Amino acid sequence: MKLALLPLQSIFFPGETVPLHIFEDRYKQLIVDCRKEAVTFGIPVYINDNMIYGTEVQLVEIVNTYDNGEMDVTCVARQVFRILSFEKQMRGKLYAGGTIQFLDSVNDADKETKQEVLDKIHELYELMAVPYTPLPLEKFNSYVLVHKMGLSFNQEYQLLQMPSERDRLLFMKSHLISTISMLSEVNRTKKTIEMNGNFKNFDPLDFEDFNL
């Protein structure tokens, strides 16, 4: 299908709220068209001088409109897609567009894997002394906390391309285990350094019965 496109160096996951400040004329036109025609648009991820995957988003609200026509809008991310063709300007429009294909999302995760990932996230937050609000298992999926577990931009992009929920969770679990291990070692090293930097009281040693 054809979709209007607004490329960004950002990654949005299905279900996520997407706040945008619109200031270019082409995207002002896009938002007006979305409001009038109730159509969605896509945000392809611009990465490594390329655009292959992105997320379809739907306009929810124009929060602010400024005197110069700029806008603050909120959207919601819906489905992940792959770009099949790209055109810098859609016919009769200022903004870009392209032919896209939606990725089929496979909900194949089991409760045990979901719980393991949740537990690891909790463990990471405790290790970092970051406040953590417990999330019920039934409300958790791979997209809910994906931006809050220290994935790099490239890792998030990898995860975006995975259609399987189980694969996404296993990817997250692997990252969390690695990160927790690294942070634990850092904390251990930090404590060792702090301990070695303190003045110590040494007990006098008795060498009376010492022989070489």
Side-chain angles (χ1 to χ4, degrees), residues 21-25 27-29 31-32 62 64-72:
H21 178 69
I22 306 298
F23 59 91
E24 292 187 58
D25 289 338
Y27 299 130
K28 292 176 190 176
Q29 184 188 65
I31 295 301
V32 170
I62 299 176
N64 294 308
T65 302
Y66 301 90
D67 292 341
N68 60 2
E70 294 183 13
M71 291 175 272
D72 295 325

Side-chain angles (χ1 to χ4, degrees), residues 6-165:
L6 193 167
L8 291 174
Q9 287 181 303
S10 300
I11 297 171
F12 300 104
F13 293 94
E16 183 178 355
T17 298
V18 181
L20 297 172
H21 178 69
I22 306 298
F23 59 91
E24 292 187 58
D25 289 338
R26 53 183 169 170
Y27 299 130
K28 292 176 190 176
Q29 184 188 65
L30 171 60
I31 295 301
V32 170
D33 287 349
C34 288
R35 183 174 59 179
K36 284 182 179 178
E37 302 168 22
V39 293
T40 60
F41 64 98
I43 299 182
V45 183
Y46 187 77
I47 182 172
N48 301 324
D49 297 323
N50 208 345
M51 294 185 298
I52 301 176
Y53 292 93
T55 312
E56 176 200 27
V57 300
Q58 181 174 15
L59 177 68
V60 175
E61 181 183 9
I62 299 176
V63 180
N64 294 308
T65 302
Y66 301 90
D67 292 341
N68 60 2
E70 294 183 13
M71 291 175 272
D72 295 325
V73 306
T74 55
C75 306
V76 62
R78 295 174 36 151
Q79 301 179 76
V80 179
F81 61 81
R82 180 185 175 94
I83 298 177
L84 303 179
S85 67
F86 179 80
E87 50 189 303
K88 291 184 179 179
Q89 275 188 253
M90 295 183 75
R91 181 175 295 181
K93 302 296 182 182
L94 298 175
Y95 47 82
T99 305
I100 61 98
Q101 182 178 41
F102 290 115
L103 270 61
D104 292 329
S105 183
V106 183
N107 189 16
D108 55 355
D110 54 81
K111 290 183 178 180
E112 289 75 18
T113 304
K114 289 175 70 175
Q115 188 63 59
E116 286 175 359
V117 174
L118 262 181
D119 291 343
K120 288 296 177 187
I121 292 173
H122 189 192
E123 185 179 348
L124 175 65
Y125 277 41
E126 283 196 330
L127 195 58
M128 297 177 65
V130 174
Y132 177 79
T133 302
L135 187 67
L137 188 64
E138 61 272 14
K139 293 186 178 181
F140 174 69
N141 62 59
S142 59
Y143 295 136
V144 172
L145 296 173
V146 65
H147 290 309
K148 298 182 179 180
M149 50 178 288
L151 290 172
S152 69
F153 190 72
N154 282 313
Q155 286 174 317
E156 287 194 359
Y157 188 59
Q158 279 182 264
L159 193 139
L160 184 74
Q161 300 170 45
M162 298 178 184
S164 163
E165 173 71 354

